[in-house]
Amino acid sequence: MFATFMVNTWLVATIVAVIAGLVGFFVVVRGASFAAHALPLGTFPGAAAASLLGVNPLAGLVVAAAAGVVGISWLGRRGRHEVATALCLVMLLGLGALFLSMTTEYSQAVYALLFGEVLGVSDSDLVSVAIISAACMLLIALLFRPLLLGSVSAELLEAQRVSSRHVEFAFLAILALATAMVLPVVGALLVFSLMVGPACAARSLSSRPGPAVFLSVVFSLLTVWAAIALSYVSDWPVGFFVGTIGALLYSLGWAWRRPRKQRPAVHAAVR
């Protein structure tokens, strides 16, 4: 489990978990779960096109994620945000089907992108992930207050002379970068679980932004580390364990928070 060939696996998984925990907090507080689900699936055709052209799949993921962000932002100005997200998702998935039909040598790569393949991470891949994660962390640090304020009320954000549209675009850009980085590890179908499950559990335990972000990162790290260890022992996909642990964390957070929500109502009824 801790052999030499696994060193890059643990490193890239740790980086991915930290970014997923940070971005996942804002996904939860901003109610952007659908975008967090749609963007990973929308980046899939980028990897398919990159494989078809013989270039690094990560580059294709970033390009497709950027296209998804631009499409969602542009269409969202002219209609409902969730409708714009759905339209972009459908269009990108259609492109992915087209690219896949042009090659017969993509089956293993398709499986890896859908369900994750964290083993065999090269040094160049590790460097790329580290650069993208540093960009994500820098953007989050610079935009932490506007992102948090915008999740409460767009009017409050505009009152601070900050454009809510620009903040929304920046959030989608951060989400897209995080998606492109996380997808090769846990797969397009389960990026959603890593970003939402730990963050929801953290929000259930703390309503304060600082502790909630910290707990979200900790839960995300524990999820990925446990998933790698269990996958190594059982030879089952990492994505399966990530999805299962993410759902378990969400359930435990809900079970923890529910009695505390009921107590004020009970006290009010007694009075």
Side-chain angles (χ1 to χ4, degrees):
M1 187 184 305
F2 299 102
T4 304
F5 73 94
M6 290 288 290
V7 171
N8 284 355
T9 296
W10 288 106
L11 289 175
V12 75
T14 299
I15 295 172
V16 161
V18 171
I19 296 301
L22 288 172
V23 177
F25 168 77
F26 290 103
V27 168
V28 171
V29 298
R30 294 177 67 87
S33 298
F34 183 45
H37 176 65
L39 275 176
L41 296 176
T43 58
F44 179 76
S51 178
L52 185 64
L53 297 173
V55 300
N56 191 336
L58 188 59
L61 290 172
V62 173
V63 171
V69 169
V70 172
I72 292 173
S73 299
W74 184 72
L75 292 174
R77 295 178 182 178
R78 292 158 176 78
R80 297 176 60 181
H81 197 273
E82 62 272 18
V83 175
T85 303
L87 288 174
C88 288
L89 172 61
V90 171
M91 182 186 67
L92 289 171
L93 286 178
L95 287 174
L98 174 64
F99 295 145
L100 288 177
S101 68
M102 296 180 179
T103 179
T104 58
E105 302 177 356
Y106 195 59
S107 59
Q108 184 61 35
V110 169
Y111 180 86
L113 287 172
L114 286 176
F115 301 101
E117 182 56 64
V118 72
L119 300 177
V121 178
S122 65
D123 292 338
S124 61
D125 291 336
L126 182 60
V127 172
S128 300
V129 168
I131 292 173
I132 295 175
S133 65
C136 286
M137 294 182 70
L138 178 61
L139 288 173
I140 291 173
L142 293 174
L143 299 173
F144 187 89
R145 182 178 175 81
L147 287 173
L148 196 59
L149 188 60
S151 66
V152 177
S153 172
E155 289 75 14
L156 289 176
L157 194 62
E158 295 287 351
Q160 299 291 325
R161 297 183 179 180
V162 179
S163 172
S164 59
R165 287 184 178 180
H166 292 166
V167 172
E168 178 67 19
F169 184 85
F171 168 71
L172 289 174
I174 294 171
L175 180 59
L177 285 176
T179 292
M181 185 180 68
V182 175
L183 189 144
V185 177
V186 299
L189 298 179
L190 293 165
V191 169
F192 174 79
S193 62
L194 183 60
M195 285 191 175
V196 174
C200 283
R203 285 280 292 139
S204 298
L205 295 178
S206 177
S207 58
R208 297 172 58 190
V213 170
F214 175 76
L215 288 174
S216 178
V217 172
V218 170
F219 289 157
S220 184
L221 284 169
L222 293 176
T223 297
V224 172
W225 288 342
I228 292 176
L230 292 171
S231 176
Y232 184 87
V233 172
S234 64
D235 201 26
W236 290 4
V238 173
F240 165 74
F241 293 109
V242 169
T244 302
I245 297 172
L248 180 61
L249 285 173
Y250 177 84
S251 301
L252 291 175
W254 176 82
W256 172 272
R257 192 171 186 176
R258 186 179 180 184
R260 286 153 181 78
K261 280 186 174 181
Q262 293 176 343
R263 285 176 186 174
V266 171
H267 291 327
V270 170
R271 292 195 190 97

